[in-house]
Amino acid sequence: MKKTLLLILLICSAGVKAQISVDLKSLKKNGTTVSVNKSTLTVNWPAGKSGSGKMILDLDHSKPLFTSIQLGKTGSFQEIAAGLDPAFILRVGKRTLSPQSGGWDVFFDRVPTRPNQSYVVKMDKQRATVSASGSQTIISISDLTASTFKGNLEITLYTGSPLFNVAAVLATPVDSTAILYDAGLVNKSKLWETIAWSDVKNNLQTANPAKTDQSKNLEVKYRTVIGESKGGSLALFPAPHQYFYPLDEAFNLKFTWYGSNYLDLIPDFGIGIRQDPLGDKRYVPWFNAPPNTKQRLNFFCLLSEGKAASVLEDVKKYTHGDSYVPIAGYKTMASHFHNEFISDVVLSGKPVPEKPEFVDVLKKAGLNIVKLAEFHGPGHPKGPDSTRLRELKSLFDQTSRLSDPDFLLLPGEEANNFYGGHWLAFFPKPVYWVMSRKPEVPFMSSDPKYGIVYHVGDKKEMLKLLELEGGLAWTAHARTKASTGFPDKYKEEDFFKSETFFGAAWKAIPADLSLPTLSKRVLNLMDDMANWGLKKHIISEADIFTITEQNEMYAHLNVNYLQMDKVPSYKDGWKPVLDVMRNGKFFVSTGEVLMPVFSINGKGAGETLKLDQSGKATVKMQLDWTFPMSFAEIVSGDGKNVYRERINLNQSQAFGKQTFNWPVNLAKRTWVRVEAWDIAANGAFTQMIWLN
């Protein structure tokens, strides 16, 4: 009798557990329909030109979550995938948080050298909620756990596109935590017919999978791995910039995988994305995970009824084929590359290639103007003179030779002397200068071979040189790396307050997956400098070393769109480039979000706007995007405080272009700027408009 009663209780408890509640109260009309039948949740969403997407989810604990993923027209859907589960591996390490290291802005950290552990994220289907936010439909399923991390699974569908996002949204109460994650989709039933990817030379590669295939890490282009079935293809890929924690190198570390028994932690056959915990084996900071922040361990999937080659072409559209597209009236500029072509090739005795690989890579990325940062280690900035001047002559000769009417390769250095921290010097023409001066050597002299030569002995002479030659200086990787504490430490110095000191450079350091944007570190500095009463600007920087076709360059790149009609010729000098920078006539972008038009009451970036006493104004901005947009933010300040007005753009769909007019009250404000971000944390931001 007792055994019978126990069996009845077990059966009843299992039945109760299977009845998972599904909350639809927050589901608003956006074209998506949802139906619930026992443990099955069926979602149909408009997928643009592809027709409709259909996702059948099973909330039964014993069944794969994705029963079926389909695409097509009503009544004639093609099944792209079946019997899949999401899979996540969370690596948990320890962050260095000393004030000397920059706290949460630290880059000089070596997380994998300290104890760390990998965990499979476990899913216990307890509750489900379906909600709508603009054109997005979010399916949230709880609970997820991994070590001290807890949270939910989120599946986000995008109206008008066959794109969806899968995320483990997790938080921990533990301080000083750094993380990495690998993720993907694993087959619980039938396998894909073909696995496909692009190799680094743009050739499509394929494999016929078997359940016994041991997992393999793939070196791919476009960060994408594809599963192909009879009904179509599913491309799986990460956010193109956010997924890549900052490193000094852009090495291709095999960021995708396929096969069974991945890391001896995921036994089923899967396809997915991965991170190399050792990075470039230099400084490897991983991602920040501050206490109680919701970290989004996520990936995107794109569906197609076509074959792998077709869906890969669709994926490439989201990053313009990993290049920066031309905009009428603008030229693209990237800065801060330590390629060391002069030291490592030209002056090393090696054959000098007619067309160096790094130039070809940068041109293919859609860059018109590239500012180098040579001699960052191997050079002789302080002399002896004969060596230093020979190095500069070689730099000027090669940059001149490698420039053409559409591509301007410019000399530049990360000077790192006199001012404090690291900073870049940029002159409008070739300038011969040595970063040291003995008492008996004049500041300026004439050399029979090189012409005017400057010897700089201190910060006053550095300022004088920049003034004489019309040059600019700015803080590299401000408030992190070797510039931790800068420019704050010299904000009262004459050289910093002078017009020769441009401002600082922006790169996505640090990385934090809880933020809907990339790094706020230098954007916060931009606002601080404006509140200090200084008219400074922020230019983007790459700050990487090796540049090869094999590398994952795009993930680590960013660009400045300068308001210029043509690329200056090298022989005439490039003062127009510095003038555009000085005047703030540019915007910064990761490439997916563009801002070809921006003004407030008719005044553009870098200009001064006089407001009436009401402070009422209208922001006019044209945005052009690939991924659906998330939001724009109007940021302003009054000399003490920073104010943010967020504008929700989640009604947008993929691949849009629109001109917006936003009313804003700027009474008692002294400056204003705008930034905009998409659903993958790609974005763009303007320079300041100054207010009277």
Side-chain angles (χ1 to χ4, degrees):
M1 181 68 180
K2 289 182 179 179
K3 289 183 178 180
T4 303
L5 181 60
L6 178 61
L7 181 61
I8 292 172
L9 288 171
L10 288 171
I11 293 171
C12 290
S13 64
V16 169
K17 194 171 185 180
Q19 299 301 311
I20 295 173
S21 65
V22 179
D23 184 350
L24 302 179
K25 292 193 294 291
S26 298
L27 183 61
K28 302 172 185 177
K29 290 184 179 180
N30 64 358
T32 299
T33 61
V34 179
S35 63
V36 181
N37 182 14
K38 295 183 180 179
S39 68
T40 300
L41 180 66
T42 302
V43 185
N44 289 75
W45 80 98
K49 295 179 181 179
S50 300
S52 296
K54 185 175 184 179
M55 188 176 286
I56 302 173
L57 304 173
D58 199 325
L59 302 178
D60 188 313
H61 293 75
S62 64
K63 303 290 180 60
L65 178 62
F66 294 100
T67 299
S68 181
I69 302 174
Q70 304 172 21
L71 194 63
K73 305 293 188 293
T74 302
S76 60
F77 282 96
Q78 292 292 320
E79 185 170 79
I80 310 299
L84 297 176
D85 260 328
F88 297 89
I89 293 175
L90 177 65
R91 290 187 174 91
V92 181
K94 197 71 174 174
R95 164 69 71 241
T96 296
L97 284 182
S98 68
Q100 294 78 17
S101 71
W104 285 108
D105 284 339
V106 64
F107 174 84
F108 287 156
D109 204 358
R110 292 186 170 95
V111 178
T113 65
R114 296 189 290 275
N116 60 86
Q117 192 167 343
S118 297
Y119 302 89
V120 175
V121 177
K122 297 179 180 178
M123 180 167 61
D124 184 13
K125 302 171 186 174
Q126 293 290 333
R127 294 169 301 280
T129 300
V130 186
S131 60
S133 178
S135 66
Q136 303 173 22
T137 302
I138 302 103
I139 305 159
S140 179
I141 301 169
S142 62
D143 296 316
L144 298 185
T145 57
S147 181
T148 61
F149 284 78
K150 296 180 181 179
N152 303 324
L153 181 78
E154 285 188 3
I155 303 165
T156 305
L157 311 173
Y158 303 101
T159 299
S161 173
L163 180 76
F164 64 92
N165 181 270
V166 182
V169 185
L170 302 171
T172 179
V174 179
D175 201 1
S176 307
T177 300
I179 63 170
L180 282 187
Y181 76 95
D182 301 353
L185 295 171
V186 297
N187 296 74
K188 290 290 187 180
S189 55
K190 65 179 181 180
L191 298 182
W192 301 100
E193 291 199 340
T194 305
I195 305 297
W197 65 94
S198 170
D199 65 22
V200 295
K201 294 188 180 297
N202 248 340
N203 299 310
L204 189 70
Q205 303 293 330
T206 60
N208 297 319
K211 185 71 174 177
T212 55
D213 289 345
Q214 288 298 300
S215 68
K216 179 184 298 186
N217 300 335
L218 298 174
E219 185 179 72
V220 307
K221 193 171 177 64
Y222 309 115
R223 304 158 297 279
T224 301
V225 61
I226 301 164
E228 189 179 276
S229 67
K230 288 182 179 179
S233 302
L234 180 150
L236 191 154
F237 55 96
H241 302 281
Q242 184 195 44
Y243 184 62
F244 297 85
Y245 62 89
L247 294 171
D248 281 333
E249 294 282 9
F251 296 148
N252 192 316
L253 300 173
K254 299 184 177 180
F255 296 108
T256 63
W257 62 275
Y258 81 91
S260 298
N261 203 29
Y262 179 65
L263 293 182
D264 294 326
L265 292 173
I266 300 176
D268 295 309
F269 187 98
I271 60 174
I273 57 173
R274 63 175 295 275
Q275 279 285 9
D276 190 317
L278 299 180
D280 58 11
K281 300 180 181 177
R282 290 165 57 92
Y283 293 101
V284 186
W286 291 13
F287 294 101
N288 286 340
N292 304 314
T293 56
K294 294 182 178 180
Q295 299 293 318
R296 288 186 60 84
L297 322 182
N298 72 99
F299 58 88
F300 289 93
C301 295
L302 188 66
L303 305 176
S304 171
E305 291 184 77
K307 296 296 185 181
S310 175
V311 76
L312 180 60
E313 289 303 310
D314 291 338
V315 171
K316 289 161 61 176
K317 293 175 184 176
Y318 284 91
T319 60
H320 304 293
D322 282 11
S323 68
Y324 297 96
V325 294
I327 301 177
Y330 288 86
K331 296 300 177 185
T332 55
M333 175 188 174
S335 173
H336 202 155
F337 295 94
H338 298 301
N339 192 46
E340 303 300 355
F341 178 67
I342 303 304
S343 297
D344 295 350
V345 178
V346 179
L347 297 178
S348 69
K350 299 176 183 176
V352 179
E354 179 66 24
K355 296 180 179 180
E357 181 182 12
F358 82 94
V359 172
D360 187 52
V361 170
L362 297 173
K363 284 183 175 182
K364 286 180 178 178
L367 299 177
N368 302 125
I369 304 166
V370 172
K371 180 194 176 298
L372 300 176
E374 292 285 278
F375 313 130
H376 189 59
H380 300 81
K382 295 184 177 182
D385 284 10
S386 59
T387 303
R388 166 66 173 172
L389 299 179
R390 177 170 167 261
E391 288 173 343
L392 288 174
K393 177 68 163 57
S394 180
L395 174 62
F396 301 150
D397 287 347
Q398 290 298 321
T399 49
S400 175
R401 178 180 75 86
L402 296 170
S403 295
D404 60 46
D406 296 315
F407 181 76
L408 188 59
L409 185 65
L410 297 180
E413 296 179 82
E414 190 172 2
N416 306 343
N417 290 299
F418 315 122
Y419 284 171
H422 282 198
W423 58 278
L424 273 78
F426 192 26
F427 295 103
K429 63 179 182 179
V431 172
Y432 288 94
W433 63 298
V434 183
M435 300 183 204
S436 66
R437 186 173 72 82
K438 295 178 181 178
E440 68 275 11
V441 176
F443 167 70
M444 182 191 300
S445 60
S446 181
D447 184 277
K449 182 176 181 181
Y450 301 107
I452 295 176
V453 175
Y454 296 93
H455 286 79
V456 178
D458 57 30
K459 59 188 176 185
K460 289 184 178 179
E461 292 180 347
M462 188 67 238
L463 173 56
K464 184 178 179 181
L465 170 59
L466 290 167
E467 289 174 339
L468 287 171
E469 291 292 348
L472 291 175
W474 61 87
T475 310
H477 41 76
R479 294 178 171 175
T480 190
K481 286 190 165 185
S483 292
T484 299
F486 296 99
D488 307 67
K489 291 180 181 178
Y490 51 59
K491 70 177 183 177
E492 299 301 331
E493 296 269 10
D494 289 341
F495 69 80
F496 182 69
K497 292 182 176 180
S498 83
E499 292 184 358
T500 68
F501 208 96
F502 170 80
W506 178 87
K507 178 183 177 177
I509 304 174
D512 185 331
L513 297 166
S514 70
L515 299 177
T517 71
L518 298 181
S519 173
K520 285 287 189 180
R521 171 183 53 91
V522 176
L523 293 176
N524 289 339
L525 171 63
M526 186 181 191
D527 302 337
D528 290 343
M529 290 189 298
N531 273 344
W532 296 343
L534 302 173
K535 292 186 176 181
K536 304 298 182 185
H537 305 291
I538 297 298
I539 196 166
S540 72
E541 64 179 354
D543 193 8
I544 52 178
F545 287 72
T546 314
I547 304 172
T548 69
E549 180 184 43
Q550 184 180 21
N551 279 3
E552 177 47 69
M553 292 296 299
Y554 186 75
H556 296 275
L557 284 178
N558 44 56
V559 76
N560 305 282
Y561 276 89
L562 308 184
Q563 288 187 30
M564 304 179 69
D565 290 324
K566 65 177 183 178
V567 177
S569 68
Y570 192 100
K571 65 180 179 62
D572 294 332
W574 43 94
K575 182 177 179 293
V577 175
L578 278 74
D579 287 344
V580 169
M581 293 170 57
R582 257 190 206 97
N583 295 325
K585 309 302 289 183
F586 64 97
F587 69 87
V588 173
S589 174
T590 57
E592 301 79 9
V593 180
L594 303 175
M595 296 175 163
V597 174
F598 166 64
S599 66
I600 301 180
N601 287 9
K603 295 292 185 179
E607 297 178 1
T608 299
L609 169 64
K610 185 175 179 60
L611 293 170
D612 61 27
Q613 288 186 340
S614 72
K616 292 181 179 179
T618 300
V619 176
K620 180 180 180 180
M621 172 168 282
Q622 184 185 104
L623 292 176
D624 192 331
W625 62 87
T626 57
F627 289 88
M629 290 300 298
S630 181
F631 66 91
E633 200 160 57
I634 302 171
V635 187
S636 61
D638 59 9
K640 292 183 179 179
N641 302 304
V642 176
Y643 305 88
R644 299 179 183 278
E645 183 176 337
R646 182 166 292 194
I647 299 161
N648 198 337
L649 298 177
N650 64 9
Q651 293 284 352
S652 66
Q653 298 183 12
F655 302 104
K657 183 177 183 179
Q658 186 174 345
T659 298
F660 299 92
N661 289 279
W662 298 314
V664 61
N665 192 318
L666 298 171
K668 298 182 181 180
R669 308 292 164 82
T670 56
W671 56 268
V672 61
R673 64 179 181 85
V674 180
E675 54 188 77
W677 301 90
D678 69 19
I679 57 154
N682 308 306
F685 60 88
T686 71
Q687 300 303 297
M688 300 295 187
I689 291 179
W690 312 104
L691 305 174
N692 280 339

